[in-house]
Structure formats: C-alpha cells, structure tokens
C-alpha cells in the first residue's frame, strides 16, 4: 500500500494514491472549520473519517446533516459526501487513528484565563493518536499554534506516544486560513495553502495533498515553525492595523476629519492598506493570536500589546461616544431606552466569541434606563444582558438611542424615518444610516448630522 510520507515514491504515485482513496484520512474536530475541511477532503479523496468528541455532531454528520450553520455550500457537500460513503463520522479517536494514514487536527487552541496559549485539547488528542501511528503516517496540524509548537512540543509528544522515530512518520503545520461564512471557498480557491513540515518529507507530503484540495496551490515554507509564524503574523497584522485605524479614528473629533475619507484616499497607494475602525475586535482569531507571541515567546512585544489595549478599549469608546451625544443635547442617559443592533462579532456571521457587544451591553445595562438587544443571525441571546427584541418588532417600540455594533446586511432594511429623532452611535463606518432625522455619530467619521435633537 502507498503512503504519503515516502520521498522514495514518485510524486505522481503518491498523489494518485491520495485522490483514489487508497490513503485513509482522519479529521479530528468537526467544528465550524473542521467540518468544511472534512467535507472538502472527502470530496477530493473519498475516504475520510471525521472525529468529534461531541456525539450530537457525529450523529448529525453520520445522517448527512450539517451541524454547522452559516457556511454556504457546506450542507450540500456534507450530504453528498456522506451519501457517497466518502465521509463517515465517529467519536472514537482510537478507531479513526488506527485506520487513517493522514491525520488532520483541527480542534480548538485557545487562551487560558491568564491569556496563556492553551494547547491542552490538541495535546490530549495527539496523545491518543500517537499510539496508533504507523510508519509512513503523517500528521497535519491545522489548529493555530504558537511558533515552535510542532518542533518543540508536538513532534516530541508524537515520538514518545508512538514509539516511532524521526523519519518514520511526518508532521506538518498547515494553517487554516479561512474566515467564518466563506470556509468552503477559502479552503478550495481563495488563496494558496501554506505548509511547513518538521522535515522535508513532511513538507512534501503536505504539498502533494493540499495541491489536490486548493486550486490556488500551495506555498511550501522552510519548516513548521515558519508556517506557524505565517499564521500568527497574519493575525497580528490585522490586529495592529485595526488598532491604528481605531487610534486615528479619534481624529474625527478634534480636527474634525472623516477617517473613512482619509483612509479611502490614502489606500490608493498600493503599499498602504488601512483597515476600518469600529466598536471592537472579536471572533476567536484576531483578539487571541497576539498572545500566541506575547505570552509564549520570552521577549517584549510592546506594539502588539498596545494594539490589543487599543482594540480592547473600543467598546468603552463606543459607549463614551453615546454619553457625549447625550451630554451635548442636555439629556441624561439614565432615562434612556437604548437599542443595541447586533451581538455577532462580525456582520452576517453567526458567531459571538469575544464579541464587543458583550462589554457594551454590560456597561449600558448599568448606565441606561433600559437596554434592548436584537440580532437577526444569532438565535440565542441569553449570554447577553438586556431585553431581547426581534428585528421585525423594533419599529413598534420607542427608543431614545441606538448603538449599531454589527454591520449585518439585514440592518440595511431598517426604516430609520419611522422612529422619532434618536441619538445613534454607528460603530461600523461601513454601515450607512440613511435618515437625516437623527443625530448620528459614526466612529471615525464623527457627528454626521445635527439632526433634530
Ligand atoms: N473559526 C475560524 O474562523 C478559524 C480560522 C482560522 C483558524 N481556526 C483554527 O481552527 C481551530 C478550530 O476552529 P473551529 O472554528 O472549527 O472550532 P469549533 O469550536 O467550532 O470546533 C471545534 C470542534 O472540535 C471538537 N473537539 C474538541 N476536542 C476534541 C477532540 N479531542 N477530538 C475531536 N474533536 C474535538 C469540538 O467538539 C468541536 O466540534 C481553532 O481553534 C483555530 O485554531 C479557526
């Protein structure tokens, strides 16, 4: 039987063996990113066993159902690949690891309460996979990890638990570079896959496999640590860039100047890529990954930490902006009924992890008379304080103020003219509030109209 980790075998032979399904694949973690990855693998090689510790996830996938929402194309691909027998699912790590020759780990790697990278889920998974590894197997880690993890932690762990030696099996870091809401296209065609192994054979094995999955091809880098650094660098670039936009957005008040207009003009030079300011940075990537350097590598990262502090301060900046507008109109926020539009961390995405809406609502609940919360893409708002209100019902209620935290497309349908004059803080400059009637303060753009208040 062919293996993928075998430099002596011709590349074409290994590639053909992979796409023909001769080389079984296990994908560990069938979450928001793991299930799309498993479905794309299954569509490519027809021999995938997905593993998840959550029996409900496994039951759903086995039935051809898709437990992950908000990913276009995913339900159809899961249904198709399960029906074809290309994708199966199990809760048994041992059974899947025993069968598979390619092992892909895409389980959560988060931060602990002190913001130290927490690799315990990944480590415990690989402690179970290790004893099942055979000569010629390869492990691909897709979960984001701090640079150096494959070399210093994961490879030694696999060596110890498998009893195999360097050269018997492969390990490559192949970072997930996808965004929620576009996983399938990101995995298959948006941009190339970056791969880096602990040895040349591992990098080659990863290149051969991912060239079959990704139409944009593969960028093989020197080693696993480089691939890990690529992923973290992408995250910290975004965080620092957003922090710069957030800091410069404050120029809107003293100058005054519309930062959006400034950024749009500045960005016409190719090497400038200013991001947009906003009410805060959420999701489980950008706010977390800077700590994969700050709290892992023994050196100072003053810029990264400052960027984190700036971005973490934006929910307060947003509520402060609301206070300023109340003061400017001689009103007291204590008497105000405030509507919060959106709890998702990003527009049109059903995810609330580290969402800036949380601290915004917490503070408003203490400072305003009543807080209402609506989000058309999040079914369960029980994690958030305030009274839930359906988007369809907001026109029936009287509010004194609105904070737009998330730029969901569904908010474009709000009939702003139907409300009595409001104070509005727009926390997403890409969202337009089309009414002259209200007093609108947009982060980065400042006070847009004097309104009627
Ligand atoms: N979501 C994103 O946008 C994104 C983007 C880039 C990278 N990533 C990386 O991918 C990882 C996974 O992200 P996600 O969004 O799919 O997470 P998720 O929380 O949606 O899903 C994780 C899944 O892993 C399962 N799981 C936990 N422990 C397990 C174990 N020991 N064995 C098997 N399954 C187990 C959970 O039950 C869950 O279904 C992240 O931690 C991150 O490193 C995610």
């Amino acid at each position: 039987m062919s293996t993928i980790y075998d430099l002596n075998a011709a590349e074409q032979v290994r590639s053909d063996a992979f796409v023909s399904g001769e080389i079984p694949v296990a994908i560990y973690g069938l979450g928001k990113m793991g299930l799309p990855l498993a479905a794309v693998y299954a569509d490519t090689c027809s021999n995938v066993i997905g593993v998840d510790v959550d029996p409900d996830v496994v039951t759903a996938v086995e039935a051809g159902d898709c437990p992950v929402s908000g990913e276009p194309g995913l339900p159809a691909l899961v249904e198709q690949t399960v029906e074809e027998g290309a994708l199966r699912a199990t809760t048994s790590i041992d059974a899947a690891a025993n069968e598979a020759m390619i092992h892909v780990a895409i389980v959560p790697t988060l931060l602990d309460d002190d913001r130290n990278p927490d690799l315990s889920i990944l480590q415990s998974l690989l402690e179970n996979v290790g004893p099942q590894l055979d000569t010629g197997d390869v492990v691909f880690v897709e979960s984001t990890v701090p640079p150096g993890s494959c070399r210093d932690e994961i490879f030694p762990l696999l060596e110890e638990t498998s009893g195999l030696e360097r050269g018997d099996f492969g390990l490559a870091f192949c970072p997930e570079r996808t965004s929620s809401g576009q996983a399938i296209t990101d995995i298959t065609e948006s941009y190339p896959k970056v791969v880096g192994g602990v040895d040349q054979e591992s990098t080659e094995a990863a290149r051969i496999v991912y060239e079959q999955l990704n139409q944009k091809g593969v960028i093989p880098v020197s080693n696993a640590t480089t691939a890990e650094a690529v992923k973290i660098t992408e995250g910290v670039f975004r965080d620092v860039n957003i922090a710069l936009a957030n800091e410069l957005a404050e120029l809107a008040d003293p100058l005054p100047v519309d930062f959006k207009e400034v950024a749009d003009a500045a960005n016409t030079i190719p090497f400038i890529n200013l991001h947009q300011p906003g009410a805060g940075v959420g999701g489980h990537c950008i706010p977390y990954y800077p700590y994969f350097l700050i709290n892992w590598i023994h050196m100072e990262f003053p810029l990264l930490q400052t960027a984190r502090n700036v971005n973490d301060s934006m929910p307060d900046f947003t509520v402060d902006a609301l206070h300023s507008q109340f003061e400017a109109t001689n009103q007291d926020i204590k008497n105000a009924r405030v509507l919060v539009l959106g709890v998702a961390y990003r527009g049109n995405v059903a995810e609330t992890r580290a969402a800036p809406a949380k601290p915004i609502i917490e503070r408003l609940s203490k400072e305003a008379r009543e807080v209402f919360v609506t989000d058309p893409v999040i079914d369960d708002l029980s994690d958030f304080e305030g009274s839930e209100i359906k988007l369809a019902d907001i026109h029936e209620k009287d509010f004194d103020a609105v904070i737009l935290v998330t730029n969901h497309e569904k908010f474009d349908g709000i009939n702003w003219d139907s409300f009595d004059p409001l104070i509005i803080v727009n926390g997403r400059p890409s969202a337009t509030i089309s009414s002259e009637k209200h007093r609108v303060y947009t982060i980065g753009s400042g006070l847009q109209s004097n309104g009627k208040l």
Side-chain angles (χ1 to χ4, degrees), residues 27-36 51-54 57 68 93 106-110 121-122 124-125 128 142-145 175-180 231 284-285 289 292 345 351 353:
I27 312 277
Y28 306 93
L30 299 176
K32 268 192 87 60
M33 290 300 135
L35 187 56
V51 188
D52 204 288
V53 288
D54 184 339
V57 168
V68 171
I93 297 169
I106 179 150
V107 293
T109 44
L110 294 171
I121 296 175
L122 179 63
S124 96
L125 166 72
N128 287 306
E142 290 240 1
S143 307
T144 308
V145 292
E176 185 62 75
R177 303 173 78 204
T178 50
S179 291
S180 298
K231 174 67 190 172
H284 67 292
C285 295
Y289 295 160
F292 281 37
Y345 86 94
E351 192 175 323
R353 214 172 302 183

Side-chain angles (χ1 to χ4, degrees), residues 193-205:
K193 186 80 177 173
V194 172
V195 303
V198 295
D199 53 28
Q200 194 203 339
E201 292 195 27
S202 302
T203 308
E204 273 299 285

Side-chain angles (χ1 to χ4, degrees), residues 212-251:
Q212 297 302 323
L213 265 64
N214 189 318
Q215 292 171 29
K216 284 276 162 41
V218 174
I219 301 175
V221 295
S222 302
N223 48 45
T225 306
T226 306
E228 290 160 343
V230 169
K231 174 67 190 172
I232 298 297
T233 300
E234 290 167 358
V236 298
F237 176 87
R238 303 276 311 280
D239 203 42
V240 170
N241 200 327
I242 295 167
L244 177 64
N246 282 334
E247 190 159 292
L248 294 180
E250 295 186 33
L251 291 173

